[in-house]
Amino acid sequence: MKNIADLFCQRKLQKMLSQSLSYSAIATAGIVASVIVSGKVNAQTPQPVNSNEIVSYAQAVLAMEPARQQAFDEIKKLMGDREIPKIVCNDSKSISTLPKKAQDIAVNYCKHSQKIVEDNGLTIERFNKITVDLQNDNDLKRQISNTLIRIQNPAKNP
């Protein structure tokens, strides 16, 4: 009987971890968008996000997260007790406020993130547009969250 209870708890923990990672990745997308903005979001006719873009977006966000966390940790060490300012890749003023070594880390992260987005089949402009849409579209948020869960748990979601 104990094995069944252990199995139930283990599955529940795995589900909670997957959901937590998904929500974390979505939150990261919002942060990343403010970090890798390199073009203005088009204010023209809204273009719906298709399923391929949802998968590409989710893959890009997951691929960026380890590099984002590492860059943040390195900058935090360099900054010490000082507050880390908001870093926007296409805003040289936001980067120039950092110490030189932190500037290098931020620039490298921005370049790396842009490459990840493009390697996943999106332009920076489209990635940023999806991120903005995600803030106000619960259906899109749900679709991306479900895709993140599927990507992180491929064995459970054929």
Side-chain angles (χ1 to χ4, degrees):
M1 194 59 122
K2 184 177 181 185
N3 289 339
I4 293 172
D6 289 344
L7 182 61
F8 175 75
C9 289
Q10 192 174 29
R11 285 187 179 162
K12 191 171 182 175
L13 276 172
Q14 287 174 335
K15 183 178 180 183
M16 286 174 29
L17 178 61
S18 293
Q19 288 175 337
S20 173
L21 287 172
S22 295
Y23 297 132
S24 167
I26 288 173
T28 298
I31 294 167
V32 168
S34 69
V35 173
I36 68 166
V37 176
S38 72
K40 294 181 181 173
V41 174
N42 227 340
Q44 298 173 352
T45 310
Q47 184 180 14
V49 181
N50 67 45
S51 59
N52 290 337
E53 289 176 320
I54 289 172
V55 170
S56 294
Y57 183 89
Q59 290 171 328
V61 168
L62 287 173
M64 280 187 263
E65 177 56 17
R68 185 202 65 79
Q69 189 62 52
Q70 181 180 1
F72 179 81
D73 289 346
E74 289 176 20
I75 291 171
K76 188 176 178 180
K77 283 181 191 173
L78 291 170
M79 298 290 291
D81 291 338
R82 292 179 287 171
E83 184 178 332
I84 298 173
K86 183 176 180 179
I87 301 168
V88 181
C89 289
N90 72 333
D91 179 4
S92 59
K93 289 180 186 176
S94 74
I95 293 175
S96 67
T97 63
L98 298 169
K100 177 65 175 130
K101 285 186 178 184
Q103 288 178 24
D104 294 341
I105 293 166
V107 168
N108 287 336
Y109 171 73
C110 291
K111 288 178 181 177
H112 182 67
S113 294
Q114 182 172 354
K115 183 172 179 356
I116 289 171
V117 168
E118 292 168 350
D119 287 350
N120 279 283
L122 295 171
T123 64
I124 295 300
E125 292 78 14
R126 188 61 177 154
F127 180 89
N128 290 336
K129 175 71 171 107
I130 293 169
T131 300
V132 169
D133 292 349
L134 182 64
Q135 307 302 316
N136 302 311
D137 184 339
N138 287 332
D139 185 51
L140 179 60
K141 192 180 292 186
R142 180 189 51 77
Q143 290 176 54
I144 290 174
S145 177
N146 288 341
T147 302
L148 288 165
I149 291 169
R150 267 196 320 275
I151 291 169
Q152 293 172 66
N153 299 307
K156 294 182 180 180
N157 302 297

